[in-house]
Amino acid sequence: MRDADRAWLAEAIRRIEADYNRSADTHLIRVELPRYPGITLYLKDESSHPTGSLKHRLARSLFLYALCNEWIGPRTTVIEASSGSTAVSEAYFARMLGLRFIAVVPAATAAPKLDAIRFHGGEIHAVDDPRTVYDVAHRLAAETGGHFIDQFTYAERATDWRGNNNIAESIFAQMAEEEHPIPAWIVCGAGTGGTSATIGRFIRYRRHATRLCVADPVHSVFHRHYADRTVTTLPEGCASRIEGIGRPRVEPSFVPGVIDRMIAVEDCDSLGAMRALSDALGRRVGGSTGTNINACMTLVEEMAAAGRTGSIVTLLCDGGERYGCTYYDPDWLAGCGGAWEASAERTAAFLR
Ligand SMILES: *Cc1c(COP(=O)(O)O)cnc(C)c1O
């Protein structure tokens, strides 16, 4: 690398570190469960990152990893295959470094998401067939001399799983003064699989008794692969409506070995739990948070039935702002049938 480029690299890393240095950690919200004495639920609120979701952590890690590998330099166009929160967060970091950023997205992607990517300075490259996003991302990288940052491959290795204030270390530090500082369970979803890999490895490395549960949409391949490692893709036409989690193919960053249990959740149960939690908190949360809460209900009920006390920590992955035309739109919800309403009532009772 030329001296000028090495100086650019140092400045790029300084900017990301300085941004981190100015940031506060995300809150750990304590949720009392009066019906379940001795059991407390905690929500790690990842919606409070500058770009609104847990993908802020991932984007920071992916950029630092790519910079330190010298995959990204001062003239590199950065490309990602993402229709969602990852592209929004990556656009934020690309702009911070003065780099061009292109998100390769399926043509059907909802407008509010595209607006959020553009708001942070990203460009959109839409493709008609969603299955071609990876190929198109590779091709664009070759044509522009750019770098395909590839969240689904690198999420699990770009994060420092042993510490460095990753999400797991932050959770355990914030739990330190609680009655049950070591959670019985930590519950999260899997999109790239990066978050579950980090938490699962950290728990083992620190030798905690905590178990890791991954809540997965019924129409996702991950829990099927967990039960039978020969299953690697979903049957045709099977698709989850919960954005951010549940994939049609097993992604390279999904690490099943560090997961202690998976719970499959129907979309209508995720949406019902999402609505009930939003009402309880007084602000909207995203669908994958509902999936997590639904799995937490199962675990809390099992603990109570076994006479156990303790704590359960789950993630509030993102807020509801980007879902105004879907999950929080009465017409859209009506298209899902009324099944979510019974689920919302059950979750509301659980939280009351
Ligand atoms: C990406 C994402 C997840 C899953 O996190 P991974 O670390 O990618 O497995 C959950 N919820 C939302 C809203 C997401 O965007």
Side-chain angles (χ1 to χ4, degrees):
M1 198 180 232
R2 294 187 296 130
D3 285 351
D5 289 354
R6 188 64 179 261
W8 179 87
L9 180 66
E11 170 61 11
I13 291 168
R14 187 199 65 76
R15 285 189 196 182
I16 295 175
E17 292 292 285
D19 181 69
Y20 179 68
N21 213 28
R22 294 190 303 269
S23 302
D25 203 348
T26 59
H27 294 273
L28 188 64
I29 301 169
R30 186 181 152 106
V31 182
E32 306 294 342
L33 302 172
R35 295 197 174 187
Y36 303 93
I39 303 178
T40 312
L41 180 65
Y42 296 83
L43 304 172
K44 181 68 169 154
D45 183 6
E46 295 293 289
S47 73
S48 60
H49 286 293
T51 55
S53 81
L54 79 176
K55 290 302 189 313
H56 198 78
R57 291 179 192 272
L58 174 63
R60 183 196 291 128
S61 297
L62 287 170
F63 268 88
L64 285 173
Y65 190 68
L67 285 164
C68 293
N69 283 326
E70 295 202 1
W71 291 342
I72 294 179
R75 288 162 296 278
T76 308
T77 297
V78 179
I79 294 144
E80 182 64 284
S82 158
S83 56
S85 306
T86 304
V88 178
S89 300
E90 287 170 343
Y92 170 92
F93 284 100
R95 173 183 266 172
M96 183 187 292
L97 307 185
L99 298 174
R100 185 175 175 211
F101 177 76
I102 306 173
V104 180
V105 306
T109 304
K113 291 225 180 136
L114 303 183
D115 291 344
I117 295 167
R118 289 198 193 97
F119 176 81
H120 288 290
E123 296 168 37
I124 306 292
H125 184 103
V127 297
D128 290 329
D129 181 350
R131 286 167 302 184
T132 63
V133 289
Y134 305 104
D135 292 340
V136 173
H138 278 295
R139 186 173 51 85
L140 276 179
E143 284 171 10
T144 61
H147 174 63
F148 174 25
I149 198 160
D150 195 357
Q151 57 168 339
F152 290 108
T153 299
Y154 294 106
E156 59 87 8
R157 70 193 83 160
T159 302
D160 297 331
W161 54 271
R162 280 173 290 193
N164 203 2
N165 200 40
N166 67 38
I167 191 167
E169 189 172 54
S170 168
I171 288 170
F172 279 92
Q174 289 177 322
M175 286 294 290
E177 301 295 335
E178 302 304 303
E179 300 95 303
H180 301 286
I182 304 299
W185 290 96
I186 296 180
V187 179
C188 68
T192 62
T195 304
S196 54
T198 299
I199 295 172
R201 288 166 175 164
F202 183 88
I203 288 169
R204 281 155 183 79
Y205 179 60
R206 292 292 174 93
R207 290 156 278 148
H208 291 309
T210 306
R211 308 269 143 183
L212 173 63
C213 173
V214 170
D216 199 32
V218 165
H219 296 299
S220 165
V221 77
F222 290 134
H223 64 93
R224 300 166 200 236
H225 178 72
Y226 187 73
D228 175 356
R229 300 291 154 90
T230 64
V231 178
T232 56
T233 53
L234 271 186
E236 199 63 44
C238 219
S240 159
R241 282 171 299 190
I242 308 303
E243 295 187 31
I245 57 170
R247 300 286 304 165
R249 62 161 209 193
V250 177
E251 302 297 346
S253 283
F254 180 68
V255 182
V258 299
I259 297 167
D260 298 292
R261 179 167 172 184
M262 292 196 71
I263 295 180
V265 179
E266 294 283 356
D267 287 359
C268 60
D269 290 331
S270 294
L271 297 175
M274 174 200 82
R275 297 290 284 231
L277 181 68
S278 298
D279 290 344
L281 294 177
R283 64 188 166 103
R284 290 175 172 183
V285 301
S288 69
T289 303
T291 313
N292 289 343
I293 292 294
N294 186 272
C296 287
M297 281 203 294
T298 301
L299 295 172
V300 167
E301 282 163 7
E302 285 179 12
M303 282 173 70
R308 288 183 61 199
T309 58
S311 55
I312 297 189
V313 179
T314 192
L315 311 188
L316 197 170
C317 305
D318 64 354
E321 302 81 21
R322 283 170 205 158
Y323 307 110
C325 314
T326 53
Y327 309 149
Y328 291 95
D329 175 47
D331 292 337
W332 188 93
L333 263 183
C336 298
W340 66 272
E341 286 167 343
S343 232
E345 186 39 52
R346 189 180 151 230
T347 313
F350 169 79
L351 294 169
R352 237 182 332 253

